[in-house]
Coordinates of all heavy atoms in Angstrom, one line a residue:
S1071 N -69.9 -33.6 -3.8 CA -68.7 -34.4 -3.8 C -67.5 -33.5 -4.3 O -66.5 -33.6 -3.8 CB -68.9 -35.6 -4.8 OG -67.7 -36.3 -5.0
L1132 N 6.7 -3.4 26.6 CA 7.7 -3.7 27.7 C 7.9 -2.3 28.4 O 8.6 -1.4 27.8 CB 9.1 -4.2 27.1 CG 10.1 -4.6 28.1 CD1 9.6 -5.6 29.1 CD2 11.3 -5.1 27.4
K1141 N 22.9 13.0 41.0 CA 23.6 14.1 40.3 C 22.9 14.6 39.1 O 23.4 15.7 38.5 CB 25.0 13.6 39.9 CG 25.1 12.6 38.9 CD 26.6 12.3 38.6 CE 26.7 11.2 37.6 NZ 26.4 9.8 38.3
F1147 N 19.3 22.1 27.1 CA 20.4 22.3 26.1 C 19.9 22.6 24.8 O 19.1 22.0 24.2 CB 21.2 20.9 26.0 CG 21.7 20.4 27.3 CD1 20.9 19.5 28.0 CD2 22.8 20.7 27.9 CE1 21.2 18.9 29.2 CE2 23.3 20.2 29.1 CZ 22.4 19.3 29.8
G1191 N 16.1 -11.6 22.2 CA 15.0 -12.4 21.6 C 15.6 -13.3 20.5 O 16.6 -13.0 19.9
D1206 N 8.6 -14.6 18.1 CA 9.7 -14.1 18.8 C 9.7 -14.5 20.3 O 8.6 -14.5 21.0 CB 9.7 -12.6 18.8 CG 11.1 -12.0 19.0 OD1 12.0 -12.8 19.0 OD2 11.2 -10.8 19.3
L1218 N 18.7 6.8 34.8 CA 19.4 7.9 34.1 C 20.5 8.4 35.0 O 20.2 8.9 36.1 CB 18.3 8.9 33.8 CG 18.9 10.2 33.0 CD1 19.5 9.8 31.7 CD2 17.7 11.1 32.9
S1328 N -3.2 -9.9 6.6 CA -3.9 -9.3 7.8 C -4.1 -7.8 7.5 O -3.6 -7.3 6.4 CB -3.1 -9.5 9.0 OG -3.7 -9.0 10.2
H1330 N -2.7 -5.2 8.4 CA -1.5 -4.5 8.4 C -0.5 -4.9 7.4 O 0.5 -4.3 7.2 CB -0.8 -4.4 9.8 CG -0.5 -5.9 10.3 ND1 0.6 -6.5 9.8 CD2 -1.1 -6.6 11.3 CE1 0.6 -7.8 10.4 NE2 -0.4 -7.8 11.3
T1361 N -1.4 1.4 23.8 CA -1.5 2.1 25.1 C -1.9 3.6 24.9 O -1.2 4.3 24.1 CB -0.2 2.1 26.0 OG1 0.2 0.7 26.0 CG2 -0.4 2.6 27.4
R1364 N 0.9 6.6 25.1 CA 2.3 6.4 24.7 C 2.4 5.6 23.5 O 1.4 4.9 23.0 CB 3.1 5.7 25.8 CG 2.8 4.3 26.1 CD 3.3 3.8 27.5 NE 2.6 4.5 28.5 CZ 2.8 4.3 29.8 NH1 3.8 3.6 30.2 NH2 2.1 5.0 30.7
Q1366 N 5.4 2.9 21.7 CA 6.6 2.2 21.9 C 7.0 1.6 20.6 O 6.3 0.9 19.8 CB 6.5 1.1 22.9 CG 7.8 0.4 23.2 CD 7.6 -0.6 24.3 OE1 7.3 -1.8 24.1 NE2 8.0 -0.1 25.5
R1377 N 14.8 10.1 13.4 CA 14.7 11.5 13.4 C 13.4 12.0 13.9 O 12.3 11.4 13.6 CB 14.9 12.0 11.9 CG 16.1 11.5 11.2 CD 16.3 12.1 9.8 NE 17.5 11.6 9.2 CZ 18.3 12.2 8.3 NH1 18.0 13.4 7.9 NH2 19.4 11.7 7.8
L1387 N 5.7 18.9 7.6 CA 6.3 17.7 8.1 C 6.5 16.8 6.9 O 7.5 16.1 6.9 CB 5.3 17.1 9.0 CG 5.2 17.8 10.4 CD1 4.1 17.2 11.2 CD2 6.5 17.8 11.2
E1390 N 9.6 18.0 5.2 CA 10.8 17.5 6.0 C 11.1 16.1 5.7 O 12.3 15.6 5.5 CB 10.7 17.8 7.5 CG 10.7 19.3 7.8 CD 12.0 20.0 7.5 OE1 13.1 19.4 7.4 OE2 11.9 21.1 7.0
G1408 N -4.4 10.6 -21.4 CA -5.6 9.7 -21.3 C -5.3 8.5 -20.5 O -4.3 8.4 -19.8
T1422 N -8.0 -4.8 -31.7 CA -9.5 -4.7 -31.8 C -10.0 -3.9 -30.6 O -10.9 -3.1 -30.8 CB -10.0 -6.2 -31.6 OG1 -9.6 -7.0 -32.8 CG2 -11.5 -6.2 -31.6
K1447 N -0.8 -20.7 -17.9 CA -1.9 -21.0 -17.0 C -1.5 -21.7 -15.7 O -0.9 -22.7 -15.8 CB -3.1 -21.8 -17.8 CG -3.7 -21.0 -18.9 CD -4.9 -21.8 -19.5 CE -5.5 -21.0 -20.5 NZ -6.7 -21.8 -21.1
N1457 N 10.7 -14.6 -18.3 CA 11.9 -14.6 -19.2 C 11.8 -13.5 -20.0 O 11.1 -13.5 -21.1 CB 12.0 -15.9 -19.9 CG 13.3 -16.0 -20.6 OD1 14.4 -16.0 -20.0 ND2 13.3 -16.2 -22.0
Q1478 N -2.7 6.0 -33.3 CA -3.9 6.2 -32.5 C -3.7 6.9 -31.2 O -4.6 7.1 -30.4 CB -4.6 4.9 -32.2 CG -5.3 4.2 -33.5 CD -5.7 2.8 -33.2 OE1 -4.9 2.0 -32.7 NE2 -6.9 2.5 -33.6
G1497 N 11.1 -24.7 -25.7 CA 11.4 -24.8 -27.0 C 11.4 -23.5 -27.8 O 11.2 -23.6 -29.0
G1532 N 14.0 -18.0 -9.5 CA 15.2 -17.5 -9.0 C 15.0 -15.9 -8.8 O 14.4 -15.3 -9.7
W1561 N 7.3 0.3 -18.2 CA 7.0 -1.1 -17.8 C 6.5 -1.1 -16.3 O 6.8 -0.2 -15.6 CB 8.1 -2.0 -17.9 CG 9.5 -1.6 -17.2 CD1 9.8 -1.8 -15.9 CD2 10.5 -0.8 -17.7 NE1 11.0 -1.3 -15.7 CE2 11.5 -0.6 -16.8 CE3 10.7 -0.2 -19.0 CZ2 12.6 0.2 -17.0 CZ3 11.9 0.6 -19.2 CH2 12.8 0.7 -18.2
Y1667 N -7.9 -6.7 -9.1 CA -7.0 -7.6 -9.7 C -7.4 -9.2 -9.4 O -7.7 -9.9 -10.3 CB -5.5 -7.5 -9.4 CG -4.6 -8.5 -9.9 CD1 -4.3 -8.7 -11.2 CD2 -4.0 -9.5 -9.0 CE1 -3.4 -9.7 -11.6 CE2 -3.3 -10.5 -9.4 CZ -2.9 -10.6 -10.7 OH -2.1 -11.7 -11.1
K1729 N -8.7 13.2 -18.5 CA -8.0 14.1 -19.3 C -8.4 15.6 -19.0 O -7.6 16.5 -19.1 CB -8.2 13.9 -20.8 CG -7.4 14.7 -21.7 CD -7.5 14.3 -23.1 CE -6.6 15.1 -24.1 NZ -6.6 14.7 -25.4
W1731 N -8.8 17.2 -16.3 CA -8.1 17.9 -15.1 C -6.6 17.7 -15.3 O -5.9 17.9 -14.4 CB -8.6 17.5 -13.8 CG -8.4 16.1 -13.3 CD1 -9.0 14.9 -13.7 CD2 -7.5 15.6 -12.4 NE1 -8.5 13.9 -13.1 CE2 -7.6 14.2 -12.2 CE3 -6.5 16.3 -11.5 CZ2 -6.8 13.5 -11.3 CZ3 -5.8 15.5 -10.7 CH2 -5.9 14.2 -10.6
G1746 N 7.0 17.2 -2.0 CA 6.6 15.9 -1.4 C 5.1 15.8 -1.2 O 4.6 14.6 -0.9
M1841 N -13.7 23.5 -15.8 CA -15.1 23.5 -16.3 C -15.1 23.6 -17.8 O -15.9 23.0 -18.5 CB -15.9 24.6 -15.6 CG -16.0 24.4 -14.1 SD -16.9 22.8 -13.7 CE -18.5 23.2 -14.2

Side-chain angles (χ1 to χ4, degrees):
S1071 175
L1132 183 59
K1141 63 177 177 289
F1147 306 93
D1206 203 12
L1218 180 60
S1328 182
H1330 57 75
T1361 306
R1364 69 198 68 183
Q1366 184 172 88
R1377 303 182 183 213
L1387 293 171
E1390 290 300 325
T1422 299
K1447 290 185 179 181
N1457 186 59
Q1478 294 171 306
W1561 55 88
Y1667 171 77
K1729 187 173 182 179
W1731 66 286
M1841 297 303 288

